[in-house]
Structure formats: structure tokens, C-alpha cells
Amino acid sequence: MYCCAGSACKKIPAAEPIDPETLDELWTKLAIPGQQRGVSAIYGNIDDTLVVATMYMIYLTTDQGNSWQLVVDAGRGISGFARVEGELNALDAFTDGEATARTPFLYSTDHGKTWTTHGKFDGEVYDNIKINRKRVLLTEDQYYWITPSVAPVDESTGEELAHPDEIHRHRDGGEYAIYFPSARRMNYLYLDNYQRLYVGTEGTRFVWSTAGNNRTFPTHTDSAFIYIGRKPVGVDDL
């Protein structure tokens, strides 16, 4: 596009396309640029300090996701975060089919800004830490959890294909899927101290990619996205 005044013409840069998910009324979407892994752990809150792991890397934002600071390359997969008496622990064990996280291996006393390999408690304290990665409780019988949706089937092989996940709410013995703005592979579910729901996802595209005689499904998993509920959830929500 050009704008001409007299004999001078200037090229006006085209506006960046707007991601429609960023305009969603119920969810805020954040991206951590340049990641080849999805979000594997979340801690804190977006209004203050949010700590996020993209498998091996720990990032921190204090400006609501406008910028991200890489604080440590752990060199090991990070399955979750747990806080014990003022100490934030990064865990590295994926247990129960990746539904839970255990075994602290990094420790921070300044809310994730710096980390050390030496914790301040004895082994018994750390042995008892267990975090649910894909379920958050409101009460003992009311909770949100990540569950696979109905799997599509490859017509040529009859095998189930990789498929996006859903967030379900369990209440009063029943269960239903809640609204989510995109088809994603979901890794982590977290509830902050304001009762807002956070979802750590990958950038998987659930479409076929064809190169010659080879077909790949899904296409790629090359981005880390976080979705944050704009409103608190509660036991009285429908």
C-alpha cells in the first residue's frame, strides 16, 4: 500500500493480521515467542508475576505477558510448580500418565526470579509433594479437568488420530465440556488465587500435512500458548 503527496510516495507497512482468539470475550491468549515446546507448568498470576515452563525453560512475566524473561534453562523437563512455605519448587517427574508432577529439583525463594539446586527443607518434605497437572478442585466433588475429545479416525488405516483436548467441569455427579476458543493439545491446568483458570497448551494444528507420499497428522507443535479465563470461576457457576 502506498500514500502519495505531491511527487513523493511512501510505502505504508501492512497492518499485522489480528489473531481472532485475542479478541475472545471469555479467554485471554498469551504466546511465548520462539518456543518449540508447549507450556508444561504454570504458577503465580498474570496481574503480578507469572512463572511458566516450556518443558526445559522457565520464563517469567511481570507485565501481563507483554514481555517474557528467560530465567533458567533447566536442562530437564519441568512437570509442575509447587510452593512450600515461601519456597517455589520446580518438579521434574511426570507421573500417573503425565497427570501429576513430583520430585522437586530446582528451588526459588524470590517467586521464580532466581533458582538454585539446593532446597531449604529435608528430603521428607519434598518426597510428599504431588501436584495435579490436569485437574483443579473447587470442592471435593466440583472440579475442572483436561480430557481428550472424541478421536477422529484415519479412513485408510482405521486408527485413531491425535486430537485436541477439552476442559470438562464435574459437578453434582455430572460432567460437561466448557467453552474454549481453539482446538489445542492441553498440557497443564492451573487456578490462581483470584480463581481464574489458566490452560497451558501447544501450538498443534489438527490438519493433515502432505509431502510427497508422506502424510503427517497433526501438522506441528511449534508454539507455547497460555489461555487465561477473564472471569473467576466458582462453585455457583453453571
Side-chain angles (χ1 to χ4, degrees):
M1 179 178 179
Y2 290 86
C3 176
C4 296
S7 60
C9 290
K10 294 182 179 180
K11 186 175 181 179
I12 301 175
E16 289 291 329
I18 296 175
D19 180 352
E21 290 184 36
T22 63
L23 305 178
D24 194 87
E25 294 182 354
L26 298 181
W27 293 92
T28 297
K29 178 186 178 184
L30 302 177
I32 302 180
Q35 290 306 295
Q36 301 302 313
R37 295 276 187 166
V39 171
S40 62
I42 302 170
Y43 186 83
N45 76 77
I46 191 60
D47 295 324
D48 184 6
T49 301
L50 187 64
V51 185
V52 174
T54 59
M55 191 55 77
Y56 306 113
M57 311 289 189
I58 298 179
Y59 288 85
L60 180 147
T61 182
T62 57
D63 59 5
Q64 300 184 324
N66 291 308
S67 64
W68 294 90
Q69 176 188 355
L70 173 61
V71 293
V72 67
D73 179 349
R76 287 152 65 177
I78 298 166
S79 57
F81 294 115
R83 194 171 186 86
V84 181
E85 296 183 16
E87 181 184 74
L88 185 61
N89 301 165
L91 317 179
D92 72 348
F94 295 81
T95 56
D96 303 320
E98 298 190 359
T100 57
R102 305 193 72 153
T103 315
F105 75 110
L106 289 177
Y107 313 89
S108 174
T109 56
D110 56 7
H111 202 93
K113 295 180 177 66
T114 59
W115 296 83
T116 177
T117 55
H118 302 289
K120 64 180 183 179
F121 301 108
D122 60 30
E124 184 177 354
V125 172
Y126 299 125
D127 289 343
N128 290 326
I129 293 176
K130 182 179 181 180
I131 299 298
N132 200 314
R133 305 180 66 245
K134 301 193 176 186
R135 180 179 303 204
V136 294
L137 292 176
L138 302 179
T139 67
E140 285 301 318
D141 62 352
Q142 295 193 43
Y143 53 84
Y144 291 89
W145 68 300
I146 296 171
T147 181
S149 60
V150 177
V153 175
D154 185 343
E155 294 180 358
S156 63
T157 65
E159 296 180 355
E160 289 188 348
L161 301 170
H163 52 291
D165 300 315
E166 295 178 344
I167 302 173
H168 284 205
R169 169 134 186 197
H170 184 277
R171 178 180 181 179
D172 300 330
E175 183 178 313
Y176 58 91
I178 68 169
Y179 166 74
F180 196 74
S182 181
R184 296 289 181 200
R185 179 170 288 163
M186 302 177 185
N187 300 326
Y188 204 86
L189 203 60
Y190 173 75
L191 198 66
D192 74 9
N193 53 346
Y194 296 104
Q195 295 294 100
R196 291 173 300 194
L197 203 59
Y198 294 63
V199 188
T201 78
E202 299 177 3
T204 309
R205 292 181 58 211
F206 292 93
V207 295
W208 286 104
S209 176
T210 303
N213 295 323
N214 297 321
R215 292 196 306 167
T216 302
F217 185 97
T219 301
H220 60 72
T221 58
D222 63 355
S223 301
F225 296 119
I226 305 162
Y227 293 81
I228 306 170
R230 294 186 185 273
K231 295 181 180 180
V233 297
V235 295
D236 296 326
D237 294 342
L238 296 177

